[in-house]
Amino acid sequence: MEKEILEKYKKAGEIAKIVREEGEKLVKPGVKILDIAEKVENRTRELGGIPAWPLNISINEVAAHYSPSQDDETEIKEGDVVKLDVGVSVDGYIADTAATVALSEEDKKLVEAAEKALEEAIKLVRPGRNINEISVKIEEVIKSFGLKPITNLTGHGLEQYMVHAEPRVPNYKSEYSHILKEGEVIAIEPFITGGRNYITEEDEDRGLTYSLVQVKPCRLREARQIIELMKERQGMPFSERWINIKGVKLKLAMRELKDRECVEVHRILRGDSKISQAEHTVIVLDEPIVTTR
Ligand code: MN
Ligand code: MN
């Protein structure tokens, strides 16, 4: 990996670590998740990064992809299990990291299992290692806590401006095989539950994020404005919060962008019981670098 690119990955990772930790401290009963999202995203920009996606704040049985909308009144409640998934881009070189805050004693084990599985997985990263060995270890640790991995959410590779690239990093023993190569960048992210071991996409229309995936001629001026605004993100997800168009005009513009398949909607992913997650980004080298730790 070129030194310049390595430095960008490292800078993104340093910023992501700082804002994740600051975000975790904000997770308390009665706090609006909209405030947490805005603080973390603003801080990311202040530190010289760009949010690679709107801060994801997924609570309890929601595994991933929830980010508060402009008018979101959701508050953290006593006993919630709150996952913060942070993305930071420096020129498209991404740091992807997540942590879970459990506000009740009984859910601390869920968090501990995710962190332990992640740490044990990271110890196995090196060039020449087959990812399936890492997957086996993750599952083994999770099961030692009497819990289950979510099987249809995996870790993944990262490439410039690409949040989900090859290879995958499954959280359980599977047929998937990939030999890690020097210079690959991977995000490892066990998702853990005591309930159903898979998530489904939710139909709901709140808390969504979007990616601009293709540019097509649009009828509405506001739709064209959104395209212009989001082009430079090169496909990285965005929130309606980041658009200075409000109310009906925004709704109609977003509808046209969806209908014309200019934007992809990232649906909220939900299980049937509380879910925890821990995630770091790792650069595969003889001495691997965990950019977000
Ligand atoms: Mn993530
Ligand atoms: Mn990830």
Side-chain angles (χ1 to χ4, degrees):
M1 181 180 284
E2 285 172 42
K3 191 159 185 288
E4 200 184 324
I5 294 174
L6 180 72
E7 289 308 316
K8 287 176 180 176
Y9 271 119
K10 281 163 90 172
K11 183 178 175 193
E14 280 159 22
I15 297 168
K17 173 198 154 84
I18 292 170
V19 302
R20 185 197 67 232
E21 287 177 348
E22 290 178 357
E24 285 176 73
K25 292 200 183 95
L26 298 173
V27 175
K28 293 205 174 85
V31 175
K32 270 194 189 160
I33 63 170
L34 179 58
D35 291 340
I36 300 176
E38 285 181 339
K39 279 184 183 152
V40 166
E41 291 162 9
N42 288 338
R43 188 81 171 115
T44 300
R45 297 182 186 104
E46 204 177 283
L47 292 169
I50 287 174
W53 49 86
L55 180 67
N56 281 200
I57 309 180
S58 305
I59 301 176
N60 296 334
E61 66 276 12
V62 177
H65 288 177
Y66 190 101
S67 189
S69 317
Q70 190 65 67
D71 52 357
D72 202 312
E73 296 289 332
T74 308
E75 290 180 359
I76 309 277
K77 296 189 305 297
E78 300 279 352
D80 277 350
V81 169
V82 182
K83 292 159 290 289
L84 301 183
D85 196 316
V86 173
V88 175
S89 158
V90 171
D91 293 339
Y93 299 102
I94 295 170
D96 184 1
T97 182
T100 303
V101 179
L103 294 174
S104 78
E105 274 311 308
E106 66 190 51
D107 294 321
K108 298 272 197 249
K109 192 174 87 167
L110 203 57
V111 177
E112 203 189 314
E115 286 171 358
K116 177 87 170 143
L118 176 59
E119 288 311 316
E120 292 301 318
I122 288 171
K123 284 181 193 165
L124 295 177
V125 173
R126 63 162 175 77
R129 175 85 68 189
N130 197 320
I131 279 181
N132 64 32
E133 289 177 56
I134 296 175
S135 299
V136 165
K137 175 55 89 178
I138 291 172
E139 182 175 30
E140 189 184 294
V141 173
I142 295 170
K143 286 192 165 162
S144 75
F145 282 82
L147 295 163
K148 289 172 258 182
I150 300 280
T151 52
N152 57 344
L153 286 174
T154 71
H156 49 90
L158 290 157
E159 283 175 25
Q160 191 181 22
Y161 292 107
M162 269 182 74
V163 182
H164 291 113
E166 286 299 311
R168 298 198 299 272
V169 187
N171 294 314
Y172 66 104
K173 186 178 189 287
S174 73
E175 298 300 301
Y176 185 74
S177 172
H178 172 90
I179 306 292
L180 287 173
K181 286 178 281 293
E182 188 167 313
E184 280 183 321
V185 182
I186 56 171
I188 304 178
E189 51 179 319
F191 283 88
I192 300 178
T193 185
R196 193 180 75 192
N197 71 344
Y198 63 94
I199 47 87
T200 52
E201 288 192 352
E202 207 171 273
D203 282 334
E204 269 190 75
D205 253 1
R206 53 189 188 92
L208 297 176
T209 59
Y210 308 88
S211 287
L212 182 66
V213 289
Q214 59 177 332
V215 172
K216 284 187 185 171
C218 283
R219 193 176 56 82
L220 293 171
R221 187 166 54 95
E222 290 80 6
R224 296 195 296 270
Q225 283 173 346
I226 294 170
I227 287 176
E228 280 314 307
L229 193 64
M230 295 306 163
K231 250 184 190 168
E232 64 174 20
R233 293 190 56 77
Q234 307 214 35
M236 295 190 299
F238 66 88
S239 168
E240 288 179 353
R241 285 187 278 112
W242 298 351
I243 300 167
N244 201 12
I245 303 167
K246 304 286 169 237
V248 173
K249 283 188 170 166
L250 176 64
K251 277 211 165 58
L252 291 174
M254 289 306 295
R255 184 182 300 165
E256 181 172 22
L257 291 169
K258 281 180 253 179
D259 289 348
R260 291 189 197 266
E261 297 179 332
C262 294
V263 298
E264 180 191 334
V265 182
H266 303 290
R267 292 266 158 218
I268 290 158
L269 307 176
R270 189 186 282 271
D272 75 348
S273 178
K274 284 174 174 173
I275 296 168
S276 67
Q277 173 203 18
E279 179 175 27
H280 279 306
T281 296
V282 189
I283 304 175
V284 181
L285 298 168
D286 285 327
E287 285 184 49
I289 298 172
V290 184
T291 65
T292 50
R293 185 160 62 186

